[in-house]
Amino acid sequence: MSDNDTQNQLRICLAASAGGHISQLLKLAESWNGYETFCVTTTEVVRDKLSKLGEVYVVGECNRQHPMKVVTVLLRCGRIIFKEKPDVVISTGAAAGGMLCFLGKITGAKVVWVDSITNVERISLSGRMVRYIADLFLVQWPELAGRYNRVEFVGTVV
């Protein structure tokens, strides 16, 4: 089997909330060129923008202030992960991205987390949880890499 066959067989889940999270994720597009991808996001507004990358799933917004929405989004994310069976989950956050990372890890996927550039003082809440299971955890400020274990700085996305 050649490297191209292996590359084309990898399924990558691209997960990010709408807005700045999705913008930062899309700046990394070269890193998954040639791979089979699908996207998971939080609102319909970005569906067209993402559709060129593959199937797009919209799971809805959630946060810790609305626990029932969290449960609903978690169940939607679970259905997607078990249907799509990604080999890799790449996420820039937020809550739904974190959920997809955990669910992906449970099913054997590698997890790549890129914390938002807006997190200057500390890693995001979702990032602080995902950090323990991530295979690669990137921050966009060198000071953050020095403050946390299992965190790397390799440059900024924006």
Side-chain angles (χ1 to χ4, degrees):
M1 183 180 285
S2 73
D3 284 342
N4 282 343
D5 291 339
T6 303
Q7 178 176 339
N8 291 332
Q9 287 181 356
L10 277 180
R11 293 187 48 71
I12 301 174
C13 171
L14 305 171
S17 297
H21 293 282
I22 214 72
S23 296
Q24 288 185 55
L25 184 66
L26 291 175
K27 295 218 183 253
L28 301 170
E30 311 182 347
S31 62
W32 58 74
N33 278 346
Y35 293 93
E36 186 179 343
T37 61
F38 65 94
C39 301
V40 183
T41 191
T42 54
T43 64
E44 288 287 340
V45 174
V46 293
R47 182 183 290 277
D48 289 344
K49 187 178 191 178
L50 299 174
S51 63
K52 64 182 176 279
L53 299 172
E55 182 76 30
V56 179
Y57 297 92
V58 177
V59 295
E61 297 281 356
C62 70
N63 60 49
R64 63 183 179 249
Q65 283 78 34
H66 299 95
M68 289 312 296
K69 285 185 180 180
V70 171
V71 171
T72 301
V73 171
L74 179 62
L75 291 172
R76 289 176 184 156
C77 290
R79 277 195 298 267
I80 294 163
I81 288 292
F82 288 108
K83 175 186 176 195
E84 295 287 348
K85 299 176 179 61
D87 300 298
V88 180
V89 177
I90 301 173
S91 184
T92 53
M99 291 177 199
L100 287 154
C101 288
F102 277 98
L103 291 164
K105 192 64 160 182
I106 289 168
T107 61
K110 297 290 185 187
V111 171
V112 177
W113 182 271
V114 181
D115 215 48
S116 173
I117 195 162
T118 62
N119 298 321
V120 179
E121 299 288 323
R122 68 182 200 170
I123 293 170
S124 66
L125 175 59
S126 296
R128 289 193 305 269
M129 292 187 279
V130 169
R131 179 170 63 105
Y132 297 100
I133 58 127
D135 296 283
L136 177 61
F137 191 107
L138 301 173
V139 292
Q140 298 186 59
W141 296 95
E143 299 82 8
L144 288 176
R147 193 175 303 156
Y148 295 93
N149 292 329
R150 301 176 45 92
V151 170
E152 296 179 44
F153 170 78
V154 294
T156 57
V157 173
V158 179

